[in-house]
Amino acid sequence: MFKRLTYIAFFHAVIVPQVFPQSNANPERVQSEKVGRSHIEGPTFTFHTYCNPINIDYGYTPIPNFTEWGKHRASADPVIVLYKGDYYLFSTNQWGYWYSNDMSNWHFVSRSFLKPWHKVYDDLCAPAVWVQGDTLLVFGSTYSTNFPIWMSTNPKANEWKEAIDSFEIGGWDPDFFLDDDGKLYMYNGSSNRYPLYGIEIDRKKFTPKGTRKEMYLLEPWRYGWQRFGEYLDNTFLDPFIEGAWMTKYNGKYYLQYGAPGTEFSGYADGVVVGDHPLGPFVPQSLPLSYKPGGFARGAGHGATFKDPYNNWWHVSTIVISVKNNFERRIGIWPAGFDKDDVMYMDAAFGDYPHYLPAVSTSSPNGGGREGAIGFTGWMLLNYSKPVTVSSTLASYYPNFAVDESIKTYWSAATGNKGEWIATDLGGICTVRAIQLNYADQDVTFLGKQQGTCHQYKLYQSADGKNWKLLVDKSNNKTDVPHDYIELQNPVQTRYIKLENIHMPGGKFAISGLRVFGNGNGNKPDTVKQFIVLRTEKDKRSAWLKWSPVDNAYAYNIYMGLAPDKLYNCVMVYSSNEYYCKAMDKEKPYYFTIEAINENGVSARSKVIKAE
């Protein structure tokens, strides 16, 4: 996706079986077995939990002029495929890839897919990955004609060879799709002027059959979410369409695409649906993968895949865009298809702890489901609560670590052993998990690093004076920039303290010290006087307002095209209004809202129809 420099170089120098426990399950039933696992009473099912952004050893940007505001980690445009029972994750500019048998613990395999004559920074930028027979194949974005397609039957052992020396037609943001009739197709495109393209490819020779055809071009005049910009106002540039991905379900073809720009909270994946791999296609009005609110924002340019238990997931790009527009991370979200074959992704509580699958069961929570798929029910306990620290660098203030913005962070004055940050939960709570999101301050790395690590200790205290060791990672040897710890045993406590032992580089800096569990108070009251103001002036947009709930710190707004299809969710912190600019101007919409606090979630308000 770095080809966008061509245009703006100056500025850029599921009704299928589900395995998830119900979201309203009583958290008190969760009994820990060991760190990273929990056991649900009843049948002997074992579940992992995870929390976005996913915790992998993201490389640092390799492009020098992208680091003028500070060197930083960056990856995006992810693909996950299931191959021989394991998940394989590829993403932009990582000089390798990851594999996992549980979608939680990822193992990095170091490899460059560039050849000596490829004089580019982009080692597998926005890669295409697909399984063909017993073979895993990989192709990176290029406008040239001399990039190979790589193949492997043993990627764990890093054994690769060329399936073809030069894929002559190239393609940026490519996707290869093998249909169940044996035909192979390629989709590509990344532009704010041209559409996505598709073409059939000879599956043995990897040569084109015919010429590329236009698949879809954005329609921002109709679909509000496709407008460029943080505020969806098309300021500065027209929107980009990019990141194609094809999924087949129930005889239909779902062509997914990223829009309107990777820099923005509203970066999303849309979907168009057809009866043939090359169309024609009809758009779904709602974005498929959409997360414009909360801590980890953005959910565009990704891929949809199944786990071994027949559950659908969507992996996509999370936006930071502080030190450079292309500073990004990766998230994984539950997805699926409803009874009417509408494709959706569930972003409700999408950056709170969720269950990973371990068994295959039938979920009653498909279309029109109540609550988020796979959500543990563990709430954020320390949003905007008091923070104390060992030191502070300049204006990187302590409370930036608890403001639920991945863009802001606290930094200590040094990266030395002994620097610390402590958060007050405001009262005794049941703490079940902690996520540590490290920020990049004064790091010196370019490109992929190996052999680096974070080391730290976590303490807990009921009174802020007497501290007990909670987690000891002082001997950790791995790089964990978004470390997530599910506690072996939940603790009743009020204070959590993070003490630095060792940083990979730079200062000890935290964008999110996030503590999850359940408070010992009452859930918030139901939201009252929820109104949606939509006028004829621009029906892509609406102004949502509601009466503030005194004991709530956030709200989830659900929206959709029918009362039982409220598939898009926006989390709003510390406000009682939201400007929704994501609608299809030609269709009515339905809205409801719920309030959130440390103790749980309120009942939803009555569904409102906005004509």
Side-chain angles (χ1 to χ4, degrees), residues 31-327:
Q31 301 295 324
S32 297
E33 294 180 336
K34 61 181 181 178
V35 173
R37 296 178 181 267
S38 15
H39 179 70
I40 311 302
E41 288 184 1
T44 55
F45 300 155
T46 300
F47 293 92
H48 297 264
T49 63
Y50 76 103
C51 190
N52 287 318
I54 63 171
N55 182 37
I56 54 176
D57 53 330
Y58 299 90
Y60 295 79
T61 181
I63 305 175
N65 68 342
F66 279 20
T67 66
E68 293 175 358
W69 295 353
K71 295 182 173 64
H72 57 276
R73 297 177 188 266
S75 193
D77 321 318
V79 174
I80 292 179
V81 297
L82 191 66
Y83 178 70
K84 295 184 177 180
D86 290 303
Y87 305 95
Y88 284 83
L89 167 60
F90 291 75
S91 63
T92 288
N93 282 345
Q94 296 301 292
W95 279 262
Y97 52 93
W98 295 267
Y99 68 88
S100 171
N101 65 1
D102 60 6
M103 223 164 70
S104 176
N105 299 297
W106 294 94
H107 308 278
F108 185 70
V109 178
S110 177
R111 182 178 185 85
S112 174
F113 290 90
L114 292 177
K115 305 183 95 174
W117 52 85
H118 295 146
K119 304 299 183 182
V120 296
Y121 287 113
D122 300 326
D123 193 302
L124 280 188
C125 182
V129 185
W130 73 103
V131 178
Q132 192 167 314
D134 66 347
T135 305
L136 186 67
L137 295 106
V138 175
F139 177 69
S141 293
T142 182
Y143 287 123
S144 71
T145 62
N146 64 355
F147 266 47
I149 293 176
W150 297 89
M151 60 185 290
S152 175
T153 57
N154 192 8
K156 276 188 182 179
N158 200 12
E159 296 175 359
W160 295 86
K161 62 182 180 180
E162 295 175 6
I164 185 173
D165 175 75
S166 299
F167 183 61
E168 64 182 63
I169 64 172
W172 204 275
D173 285 12
D175 170 51
F176 285 78
F177 166 70
L178 184 65
D179 204 352
D180 48 22
D181 63 2
K183 293 183 178 180
L184 181 66
Y185 299 87
M186 187 192 80
Y187 307 89
N188 75 281
S190 180
S191 174
N192 64 347
R193 181 178 300 177
Y194 302 108
L196 293 183
Y197 296 94
I199 188 172
E200 186 179 351
I201 301 293
D202 186 296
R203 61 174 291 171
K204 294 182 179 180
K205 299 178 181 179
F206 297 106
T207 54
K209 301 180 75 170
T211 58
R212 281 186 254 226
K213 300 177 181 179
E214 294 185 359
M215 297 290 98
Y216 181 66
L217 183 64
L218 294 178
E219 303 170 83
W221 56 269
R222 175 174 175 177
Y223 304 108
W225 71 270
Q226 294 182 357
R227 290 175 283 183
F228 191 82
E230 182 67 19
Y231 304 104
L232 300 178
D233 51 17
N234 279 339
T235 296
F236 179 59
L237 283 175
D238 292 329
F240 285 78
I241 185 170
E242 53 201 11
W245 184 265
M246 176 62 82
T247 300
K248 187 176 185 180
Y249 176 78
N250 203 19
K252 295 182 180 180
Y253 297 86
Y254 296 77
L255 179 60
Q256 297 137 67
Y257 60 91
T262 193
E263 304 92 336
F264 308 121
S265 297
Y267 193 39
D269 281 342
V271 60
V272 293
V273 187
D275 295 322
H276 186 275
L278 297 179
F281 296 103
V282 176
Q284 286 189 183
S285 295
L286 295 171
L288 159 68
S289 175
Y290 188 56
K291 193 180 180 302
F295 177 74
R297 298 186 175 195
H301 193 146
T304 302
F305 63 99
K306 273 187 178 182
D307 64 27
Y309 313 103
N310 214 34
N311 305 289
W312 291 99
W313 299 83
H314 192 78
V315 59
S316 52
T317 304
I318 289 170
V319 176
I320 298 180
S321 298
V322 172
K323 291 183 168 62
N324 183 265
N325 283 6
F326 298 111
E327 183 183 10

Side-chain angles (χ1 to χ4, degrees), residues 355-570:
Y355 291 108
L356 287 167
V359 293
S360 183
T361 63
S362 177
S363 169
N365 275 356
R369 60 207 177 280
E370 291 294 329
I373 298 175
F375 176 41
T376 60
W378 302 345
M379 311 308 296
L380 182 66
L381 299 176
N382 65 327
Y383 169 65
S384 287
K385 297 290 180 66
V387 175
T388 53
V389 297
S390 55
S391 67
T392 298
L393 176 69
S395 59
Y396 298 99
Y397 298 125
N399 277 80
F400 287 153
V402 294
D403 66 354
E404 280 300 275
S405 172
I406 201 171
K407 291 176 176 284
T408 62
Y409 59 89
W410 161 76
S411 177
T414 74
N416 295 343
K417 179 179 180 180
E419 295 276 18
W420 57 267
I421 177 172
T423 179
D424 180 357
L425 308 183
I428 297 296
C429 299
T430 304
V431 175
R432 298 183 176 277
I434 300 168
Q435 187 191 40
L436 311 177
N437 298 274
Y438 288 89
D440 296 319
Q441 179 62 39
D442 296 331
V443 299
T444 59
F445 299 131
L446 275 176
K448 187 69 179 183
Q449 302 296 311
Q450 295 189 70
T452 60
C453 66
H454 298 80
Q455 296 174 341
Y456 63 85
K457 291 182 179 180
L458 280 168
Y459 299 87
Q460 62 90 5
S461 173
D463 58 9
K465 299 177 181 178
N466 300 297
W467 296 92
K468 297 179 180 179
L469 184 64
L470 185 62
V471 175
D472 187 353
K473 289 202 173 183
S474 56
N475 294 314
N476 175 57
K477 301 300 182 184
T478 57
D479 190 11
V480 287
H482 296 277
D483 209 7
Y484 171 73
I485 308 99
E486 183 180 337
L487 297 180
Q488 180 177 358
N489 296 295
V491 295
Q492 297 290 322
T493 194
R494 176 170 175 170
Y495 298 89
I496 298 293
K497 180 178 180 181
L498 169 64
E499 179 186 356
N500 181 50
I501 304 298
H502 173 77
M503 288 288 292
K507 305 291 195 299
F508 181 49
I510 301 292
S511 64
L513 171 54
R514 309 176 74 216
V515 183
F516 295 99
N518 299 95
N520 294 317
N522 297 321
K523 294 181 180 181
D525 301 325
T526 303
V527 176
K528 297 178 180 179
Q529 297 179 313
F530 179 50
I531 58 175
V532 179
L533 304 173
R534 188 185 191 191
T535 70
E536 294 296 329
K537 180 179 180 180
D538 186 350
K539 299 193 77 170
R540 298 172 296 177
S541 304
W543 186 15
L544 282 60
K545 294 182 69 66
W546 57 92
S547 175
V549 176
D550 291 340
N551 60 344
Y553 65 65
Y555 306 87
N556 273 338
I557 301 169
Y558 296 88
M559 59 184 289
L561 298 176
D564 62 344
K565 296 180 185 293
L566 306 178
Y567 295 147
N568 285 165
C569 178
V570 182

